[in-house]
Every structure is written in C-alpha cells, then in structure tokens.
Amino acid sequence: IDDPHFEQVKDMNELDYPDYSGVEWKEYHDPRILITGSRGCVRKCTFCDIGVTWPKFAYRSADKLVEEIKQSVYEHGITRFEFTDSLINGSVSNFNKFNEALANARAKDPVLEQVSYMGQFICRSKKVMPESTYELMHYAGCNQITTGIESFSERVRHHMKKKFSDSDIDYHLEACGR
C-alpha cells in the first residue's frame, strides 16, 4: 500500500469484491457503496496525473460489475453506488454492456429496481456516444455524472488535449437533460 514501486493490476477481473460485512449501514445518512470499474484513463490530458498512478487504462468486465452490484444489494440492501473511476465511459463498448446488463437486471428483479449509480465521465461526440447510450444509462439507474470540461474555451481544451469540441459539449448536456 505504501510503496512507490507498486505494480498496476493487469486483470481487474481478478480482484475480489470488497467485504462490507462489518459495516453498520444504518449509521450512515446516505449509504452508498463505492465500486471500482476501471483504473487509469484513455486520454493524456496535459494537466492530469492519473497516468502517473495508473499508466495503462484497465477495466473490469460489465458482467463482473453487475454481479458485484447485485451481491451488494442482496447482502446489504444498499442500492446506491458510486464509481471511484477517473471515468466510467473510458471503454464505451464495456460501458454500454454494463448499462444494458444492469438495466435488464433492474427490469427482471424487483429487488434491483431501486439500484442507481453515479460516476465521473468524459465528454464524447455523438458519433461515439449516440443517444441510445444515454437512454441505456437512464434505464440502468445512472442518476449523476460529473463531467470534466475544465474550460469552455475550445482552444484551451485543445491545448490540454481534452479532445472534444464545443458542439460535443452541447450534445452531451442536451443528451443528459433528456
């Protein structure tokens, strides 16, 4: 834990689920379970130090994430989840699989109907994240995303290597509003 020469976990699917058996959930005003779906980032923004800590973007499979959520709901009755990831949509294909699997689980099992999640997000174009992605997020229970815009100057964002345009921001905000 306290070693500057640690090695990044290569296969995040090998990680065990956290053990919350000793937590007194009734003691918490707003209980939620933290969940890690990825480490690292797919971007190399000039100001960011995520790449120093996690040099390679790695993520857990959608099935593993949904299984951990289901286990947490069944064992602890907690239905709110907060992702610890730098970005939950680093792998758009895995993010879509996660949302689809979670939406299906919520639709089939009344115990899971109240499941919701929140996380950090990167702004992407409509081509990469069509409206169907945002719709899936809704049905999966996404209720809050924090998006790193950093600047409303396209020139500044370009210099920062953020890789999205003003029109991408407009699209993202409109899609979230729907």
Side-chain angles (χ1 to χ4, degrees):
I1 290 174
D2 193 21
D3 181 355
H5 306 292
F6 69 91
E7 286 189 38
Q8 183 174 354
V9 174
K10 289 180 177 58
D11 184 358
M12 292 192 58
N13 290 318
E14 293 178 358
L15 297 175
D16 292 329
Y17 300 151
D19 179 2
Y20 294 107
S21 58
V23 176
E24 295 291 334
W25 294 106
K26 292 179 279 242
E27 301 292 322
Y28 291 86
H29 167 69
D30 183 19
R32 64 185 69 169
I33 289 180
L34 299 177
I35 188 166
T36 300
S38 68
R39 291 187 178 146
C41 187
V42 295
R43 303 263 166 91
K44 303 287 186 225
C45 301
T46 56
F47 64 89
C48 188
D49 67 349
I50 295 296
V52 174
T53 305
W54 309 113
K56 185 173 178 356
F57 180 72
Y59 60 90
R60 292 173 59 210
S61 73
D63 291 337
K64 283 282 198 182
L65 293 172
V66 172
E67 202 51 49
E68 181 176 344
I69 287 172
K70 288 166 61 175
Q71 179 181 316
S72 296
V73 172
Y74 297 145
E75 289 182 8
H76 307 292
I78 303 301
T79 58
R80 295 187 53 169
F81 295 86
E82 182 173 347
F83 279 88
T84 64
D85 308 27
S86 299
L87 66 165
I88 58 176
N89 62 333
S91 167
V92 176
S93 62
N94 195 60
F95 184 60
N96 287 336
K97 288 176 191 173
F98 163 74
N99 283 307
E100 186 174 352
L102 186 55
N104 287 336
R106 289 178 74 219
K108 291 177 186 171
D109 187 343
V111 175
L112 302 174
E113 282 179 359
Q114 297 304 311
V115 166
S116 65
Y117 74 86
M118 58 194 295
Q120 296 182 80
F121 212 74
I122 59 175
C123 186
R124 294 194 182 263
S125 69
K126 184 175 187 173
K127 181 180 177 185
V128 175
M129 290 192 64
E131 290 180 24
S132 58
T133 297
Y134 290 89
E135 188 175 349
L136 260 178
M137 290 166 60
H138 167 74
Y139 288 117
C142 179
N143 66 358
Q144 180 180 332
I145 54 174
T146 304
T147 306
I149 303 294
E150 278 74 41
S151 175
F152 283 103
S153 164
E154 198 165 319
R155 184 184 57 78
V156 170
R157 283 194 319 277
H158 178 76
H159 176 72
M160 296 166 73
K161 299 182 183 172
K162 293 296 288 180
K163 299 183 181 178
F164 56 85
S165 68
D166 288 346
S167 61
D168 293 337
I169 294 172
D170 291 343
Y171 165 72
H172 172 71
L173 294 175
E174 289 170 13
C176 286
R178 280 191 293 281

